[in-house]
Amino acid sequence: MSHAKKADTASSHTLLEGRLGYKLESALLVRALTHRSYAYENGGLPTNERLEFLGDSVLGLVVTDTLYRVHPDLPEGQLAKLRAAVVNSRALAEVSRGLDLGSFIRLGRGEEGTGGRDKASILADTLEAVIGAVYLDQGLDAAAELVHRLFDPLIEKSSNLGAGLDWKTSLQELTATEGLGVPEYLVTETGPDHEKTFTAAARVGGVSYGTGTGRSKKEAEQQAAESAWRAIRAAADERAKAEAVAAAAATPAADTAADGVASAASVPSGEPREGTSGASEETGAQADAPQAGGTTGAEQASA
């Protein structure tokens, strides 16, 4: 390797180490970034597959430990689903893209020519290899800190998903609850075969509620399902809020009417009711009093 190329490699490694927050032993980092396609094209160099195997276990342990502690009341099956929502190829690829990890991977010419630097499987495997390298070079505490920094947002996000712990399942459950029907996905693709972009629209009952894009059909559908879920959930929440406000507004009127009935019923029969006119009271008094110049009933009887 030429001196200039070595300098470029060292510079790129320094950049990656800055993003990871750890300085690693050079040969170990090089191996973590070496895809098998590069190794095979260059005389059978060591690949990152053993580090990937190790990193997968470290990642699984840290995520499982976190979920166990954060969700003390969840049963085993639900914890397993939460872990699967975090530790999967799509989620790892998303984290890798945030680090721009693809630009540091050593790829063979074949993979390079078919868009390998952005393939979810390659990105996920390389990230696991890097986690494995951090574990070997810095220990479990450092590897756990890296996993927390990279994956805690995904762990939190996974708690918002439905029973199936993916957006498509969550959307189907929500639309069933709301009586909207079964979601369907319309997918289109653009670009050459080695660099396709997929766009999906999530439709329910003939209405489009969300769209998404991705490097695969599955990724685009998941993004569209998430967008649709949020739109339908927001509409349902607003509707529930409006109904609660209307119910609260109707309650005082009903209470006032009930109070009026109770008040009227509580007035003793011999007392004038509130609202009785002075004329009515005078009429009653006149009827009970003897007329001027007239005789009482006793006087009439004695006569």
Side-chain angles (χ1 to χ4, degrees):
M1 183 183 295
S2 67
H3 178 73
K5 192 168 184 179
K6 285 182 179 179
D8 289 342
T9 299
S11 177
S12 68
H13 287 177
T14 300
L15 179 60
L16 177 58
E17 287 170 333
R19 294 174 184 175
L20 296 173
Y22 295 102
K23 182 171 178 59
L24 303 177
E25 194 273 319
S26 180
L28 189 61
L29 181 56
V30 168
R31 180 177 296 189
L33 297 172
T34 303
H35 187 257
R36 63 176 176 269
S37 62
Y38 182 92
Y40 295 159
E41 290 180 11
N42 289 272
L45 297 174
T47 73
N48 64 2
E49 291 177 352
R50 282 171 52 84
L51 285 173
E52 172 201 334
F53 171 77
L54 179 61
D56 175 65
S57 295
V58 173
L59 174 62
L61 170 63
V62 176
V63 171
T64 301
D65 177 75
T66 302
L67 292 172
Y68 182 87
R69 297 177 188 278
V70 171
H71 301 285
D73 299 324
L74 285 185
E76 175 193 359
Q78 193 73 358
L79 288 172
K81 290 179 179 180
L82 279 170
R83 181 177 58 191
V86 176
V87 184
N88 64 71
S89 180
R90 186 173 65 88
L92 267 67
E94 181 181 338
V95 172
S96 296
R97 292 186 182 108
L99 295 168
D100 192 26
L101 189 59
S103 64
F104 301 99
I105 301 174
R106 301 208 296 176
L107 285 176
R109 290 186 298 273
E111 283 290 355
E112 186 82 64
T114 57
R117 291 193 184 279
D118 196 51
K119 282 185 179 178
S121 58
I122 292 177
L123 289 172
D125 292 347
T126 305
L127 180 58
E128 288 179 332
V130 168
I131 292 171
V134 171
Y135 168 75
L136 285 180
D137 193 67
Q138 303 284 331
L140 180 58
D141 287 346
E145 191 280 330
L146 176 63
V147 170
H148 280 300
R149 181 151 43 87
L150 297 178
F151 287 89
D152 276 359
L154 283 177
I155 292 174
E156 182 178 356
K157 182 180 178 181
S158 70
S159 300
N160 296 323
L161 298 179
L165 292 168
D166 68 79
W167 288 113
K168 290 180 69 174
T169 300
S170 297
L171 177 61
Q172 186 165 341
E173 291 173 347
L174 178 60
T175 56
T177 300
E178 296 295 317
L180 298 176
V182 179
E184 60 179 357
Y185 299 89
L186 303 179
V187 182
T188 58
E189 57 184 67
T190 58
D193 289 341
H194 68 278
E195 198 173 353
K196 284 187 179 297
T197 297
F198 294 85
T199 300
R203 295 171 59 85
V204 185
V207 178
S208 179
Y209 285 95
T211 60
T213 60
R215 294 296 186 181
S216 68
K217 178 180 177 182
K218 181 178 179 180
E219 183 179 359
E221 288 180 346
Q222 285 287 346
Q223 289 191 12
E226 178 181 358
S227 178
W229 186 93
R230 294 189 184 282
I232 295 172
R233 180 74 271 171
D237 290 344
E238 285 297 319
R239 186 168 59 253
K241 183 178 179 180
E243 291 172 354
V245 170
T251 299
D255 289 345
T256 300
D259 289 343
V261 172
S263 177
S266 66
V267 175
S269 59
E271 296 182 6
R273 297 178 184 273
E274 184 178 348
T276 302
S277 68
S280 298
E281 293 176 357
E282 292 174 0
T283 301
Q286 292 171 358
D288 292 337
Q291 298 295 318
T295 59
T296 66
E299 291 173 335
Q300 291 175 352
S302 63

